[in-house]
Amino acid sequence: MALFSYDKQLNKIETPSGTITLSSLFLPFFIEMVLINTMGTINTLSLSHYSQNSVAAVGAATQLINMIFTFYGVVSAGSSIVISQNLGAGKKETAGDASIISICFSAALSLVIGLILALSARPILTMMNLKGELLSDAILYFRICITFSFFQAVYSALSSIFRSYGKPKTAVKISLLVNLINALLNILVVFRPFEIPLRGVWGIAVSSVISQCFGMILMFFLLKRSGFFPHLHKEIFRRLNLITKILYIGVPGGIANLSYSLSQVVSTSIVAFIGTEAVSTKIYLDNIFFYVYVIGLALGQATSLIISRLAGARKYTQAMQLNKQNLKITLLCNIFFSVVIFLLGKHLLGIFTDDPAIIAVGHQIMLFDILVEIGRGFNHIENSSLRGAGDVFYPMIISLTSCWVISILFAYLLGIVFGLGLLGCWIAFAMDELFRGILYFRRFQSGKWKAKTIV
C-alpha cells in the first residue's frame, strides 16, 4: 500500500503572498500544454484533409521549429529557476531584475537567430532528406514561422515570470485564446467556408504567427497590470551579472533539450529513408502519444518550480519526498494511458488517415510505446527535479550521450540496417528514454544536487 500513499503536505510551500500548492501549478501547466499541443494536432488534422505531402512537410518543419523554440527556452527556463530560488530566499528585488533581463535577452536572441535561420532554410531542410514539393512546402512553412519566432520567444519569457511568481493561470487563459484563434483560422484556411486570402501550407503558417503575436501582446499587457511587474531602473545595468546565472542554469538544460530535439530531427531523416508513409505515421503517433505523457510532463514542470523554491529555502527533505511521490504518480499515469491508447489505437489513427498500412504499423508501435512512456516518466520528473535544484550539468552530459549514442545510432541500425523500419526506430527511442531516466533517478536519490543551489 505504501506505493500508493499520498501526502498533501509535501505539495505546499508558504510564501509572503500566500500558499503555493503543487495542484495550483500543475493544473495550469497541464491545460496549457494540452492546448499548445492541440494547436499542432489541429494543424496536422486540418492538413491531412488537404494532402499527405503537406502533413509530412509541415511535420518535418515543425520539428525543426520546435528545436529552435527549445533553444529560445534556455533563457525562460534559466530565469524561471533563478527567479524562483531568489523568491524562496526572500530576495524579491533580485527576482524582479532577473525578470527584466530575461525579457530583453529573449527578444534580442530570437530576432538575430530567426533572421539567420530564415535565410538558411533551404540547406537546413535539405539535410532532412526532403525533396521536391515536400521540400518546397517545408521551406515555405519554416521561413514564415521562424522569421516571426520573436513572438513565441518573448511570450515564453513572459510566461515564465508568471509561473515563477505562482500565477500560471494567466498563461493558460492566454493559451486558450491563442489556440481558439489558431483553430478558427486553420478551419478557414483548409475547409474554406468562405473565401479568405490565406490558403494551403503558407496559410497555416501565417495562422500560427498571428495567434502567437496576439498571445505575446496580451501577456505583456497582463504583466504590466500585475503586482509584480518588473520596472527598469538605473541599477539594472549593474545587475547584468544575473544573465550569467540565468545562462548557467538555462544553457545546460537548453543544450540537452536542443540535442534531444535535434536528435528527433535526425531520427525523422532516418525515418524519411523508409518512406513518406513512415514519416506521416511517425507524425500521427507523435500527436497521439503526447496525450499519454502530458500529465507527467506538466507534473515535472510543476515539481521543478516547487523544488526550486524548496532548494532556495534549504528544505531538502521535503524536496526528496515530493520527488518520490510525483514519480509514482507519473509512472502509473503513463502506463495506464499507454494501455488505453493501444486499445483504442486503430480508431485514433483512423481520425488522421484511412490508409490501412499506416494504421497497421502505427497500432503495432503503440504496444511497444508502453516501454517508451515508462522511461519518459522517469525523465520528466527526475530531470525537472535536478534542474529545479540547480543541478544542470549532469543531466546535460547524460542527455547528449544517450540521444546520439543510443537513440540515433540504434534507430539507424535497427530501422535501416536490420530492416525493422519504424518499429526499429521506436525500440531505439525506448532504449534512450529508459537509460536517461534511470540515471537521472539515481542522481537525485544520491543527494548531490543539494550542493548546486545558486542562491
Side-chain angles (χ1 to χ4, degrees), residues 161-381:
I161 295 171
F162 278 98
R163 292 171 179 172
S164 299
Y165 280 87
K167 305 291 183 181
K169 291 182 180 179
T170 300
V172 175
K173 293 175 183 177
I174 296 177
S175 241
L176 176 59
L177 288 174
V178 166
N179 276 272
L180 288 174
I181 293 172
N182 187 74
L184 177 61
L185 289 174
N186 283 346
I187 290 171
L188 295 178
V189 169
V190 175
F191 297 103
R192 312 193 71 77
F194 53 85
E195 196 60 30
I196 61 171
L198 305 177
R199 64 177 63 248
V201 170
W202 74 271
I204 293 292
V206 172
S207 297
S208 181
V209 169
I210 291 173
S211 60
Q212 290 168 2
C213 176
F214 174 80
M216 183 199 72
I217 293 172
L218 185 56
M219 181 73 81
F220 186 82
F221 174 75
L222 292 177
L223 178 63
K224 192 169 180 61
R225 295 184 61 185
S226 72
F228 47 86
F229 179 72
H231 295 281
L232 281 171
H233 54 85
K234 294 180 180 179
E235 299 298 318
I236 191 66
F237 297 105
R238 296 183 181 180
R239 306 303 301 275
L240 291 178
N241 65 312
L242 283 172
I243 195 62
T244 304
K245 290 186 176 182
I246 290 173
L247 294 178
Y248 173 84
I249 294 294
V251 168
I255 290 174
N257 287 338
L258 186 62
S259 174
Y260 179 79
S261 298
L262 182 57
S263 73
Q264 293 302 298
V265 173
V266 175
S267 72
T268 298
S269 300
I270 293 173
V271 173
F273 277 109
I274 303 171
T276 300
E277 186 178 90
V279 176
S280 295
T281 304
K282 183 179 185 298
I283 291 166
Y284 295 145
L285 289 173
D286 286 342
N287 276 278
I288 293 171
F289 290 150
F290 170 82
Y291 298 98
V292 172
Y293 64 76
V294 63
I295 290 178
L297 181 59
L299 192 57
Q301 292 206 11
T303 302
S304 179
L305 281 180
I306 294 289
I307 285 182
S308 66
R309 290 260 190 162
L310 293 173
R314 302 296 192 271
K315 296 181 179 180
Y316 298 131
T317 300
Q318 184 179 347
M320 291 281 289
Q321 293 172 340
L322 178 65
N323 169 270
K324 288 183 180 179
Q325 180 167 279
N326 289 348
L327 177 61
K328 293 175 184 177
I329 295 171
T330 298
L331 291 177
L332 289 172
C333 288
N334 281 17
I335 293 170
F336 174 77
F337 287 110
S338 290
V339 173
V340 171
I341 289 294
F342 171 70
L343 295 176
L344 300 176
K346 291 184 178 179
H347 299 289
L348 293 172
L349 287 166
I351 296 174
F352 294 93
T353 181
D354 56 3
D355 188 323
I358 290 179
I359 293 175
V361 173
H363 192 235
Q364 181 187 31
I365 289 173
M366 284 177 169
L367 178 61
F368 193 83
D369 188 70
I370 295 173
L371 290 177
V372 177
E373 303 311 331
I374 291 174
R376 193 171 271 153
F378 274 96
N379 282 319
H380 285 157
I381 297 299

Side-chain angles (χ1 to χ4, degrees), residues 3-276:
L3 177 65
F4 301 98
S5 63
Y6 183 79
D7 185 354
K8 292 182 179 180
Q9 295 305 313
L10 294 177
N11 301 328
K12 296 180 180 180
I13 53 173
E14 299 297 331
T15 71
S17 56
T19 301
I20 296 178
T21 64
L22 185 72
S23 60
S24 70
L25 296 174
F26 163 74
L27 288 175
F29 280 147
F30 173 76
I31 295 171
E32 182 184 17
M33 287 176 183
V34 170
L35 290 174
I36 290 174
N37 193 73
T38 299
M39 180 187 294
T41 302
I42 289 172
N43 286 350
T44 302
L45 189 57
S46 299
L47 283 169
S48 69
H49 290 277
Y50 186 73
S51 79
Q52 292 293 339
N53 277 346
S54 295
V55 171
V58 171
T62 298
Q63 276 200 327
L64 192 55
I65 292 167
N66 288 341
M67 182 183 72
I68 305 307
F69 285 171
T70 298
F71 181 69
Y72 294 161
V74 163
V75 181
S76 59
S79 64
S80 180
I81 301 303
V82 171
I83 293 169
S84 294
Q85 287 198 8
N86 275 286
L87 289 174
K91 300 179 179 180
K92 292 184 179 180
E93 184 178 343
T94 303
D97 291 342
S99 300
I100 295 174
I101 290 172
S102 70
I103 295 171
C104 296
F105 193 76
S106 292
L109 181 69
S110 57
L111 284 171
V112 174
I113 298 297
L115 178 60
I116 293 173
L117 291 176
L119 296 174
S120 309
R122 180 171 293 277
I124 292 174
L125 288 163
T126 300
M127 289 190 292
M128 295 180 69
N129 295 312
L130 302 178
K131 299 177 182 178
E133 184 181 353
L134 208 63
L135 176 61
S136 298
D137 284 346
I139 290 172
L140 179 61
Y141 184 86
F142 179 78
R143 278 182 173 159
I144 293 172
C145 290
I146 208 66
T147 299
F148 297 97
S149 60
F150 163 86
F151 298 137
Q152 182 63 31
V154 176
Y155 172 88
S156 179
L158 294 169
S159 181
S160 70
I161 295 171
F162 278 98
R163 292 171 179 172
S164 299
Y165 280 87
K167 305 291 183 181
K169 291 182 180 179
T170 300
V172 175
K173 293 175 183 177
I174 296 177
S175 241
L176 176 59
L177 288 174
V178 166
N179 276 272
L180 288 174
I181 293 172
N182 187 74
L184 177 61
L185 289 174
N186 283 346
I187 290 171
L188 295 178
V189 169
V190 175
F191 297 103
R192 312 193 71 77
F194 53 85
E195 196 60 30
I196 61 171
L198 305 177
R199 64 177 63 248
V201 170
W202 74 271
I204 293 292
V206 172
S207 297
S208 181
V209 169
I210 291 173
S211 60
Q212 290 168 2
C213 176
F214 174 80
M216 183 199 72
I217 293 172
L218 185 56
M219 181 73 81
F220 186 82
F221 174 75
L222 292 177
L223 178 63
K224 192 169 180 61
R225 295 184 61 185
S226 72
F228 47 86
F229 179 72
H231 295 281
L232 281 171
H233 54 85
K234 294 180 180 179
E235 299 298 318
I236 191 66
F237 297 105
R238 296 183 181 180
R239 306 303 301 275
L240 291 178
N241 65 312
L242 283 172
I243 195 62
T244 304
K245 290 186 176 182
I246 290 173
L247 294 178
Y248 173 84
I249 294 294
V251 168
I255 290 174
N257 287 338
L258 186 62
S259 174
Y260 179 79
S261 298
L262 182 57
S263 73
Q264 293 302 298
V265 173
V266 175
S267 72
T268 298
S269 300
I270 293 173
V271 173
F273 277 109
I274 303 171
T276 300

Side-chain angles (χ1 to χ4, degrees), residues 390-453:
D391 189 357
V392 291
F393 284 97
Y394 178 84
M396 178 189 72
I397 294 170
I398 296 302
S399 180
L400 290 174
T401 303
S402 184
C403 284
W404 297 100
V405 176
I406 297 180
S407 183
I408 295 303
L409 177 60
F410 281 91
Y412 176 76
L413 291 175
L414 297 175
I416 305 298
V417 177
F418 292 101
L420 294 178
L422 195 56
L423 178 60
C425 295
W426 237 265
I427 293 173
F429 300 158
M431 293 167 62
D432 167 47
E433 294 284 356
L434 289 167
F435 177 78
R436 285 186 291 119
I438 292 171
L439 289 183
Y440 293 157
F441 173 76
R442 292 182 62 185
R443 175 72 170 188
F444 197 83
Q445 294 307 308
S446 73
K448 292 180 180 179
W449 51 271
K450 296 176 184 178
K452 307 293 182 179
T453 305

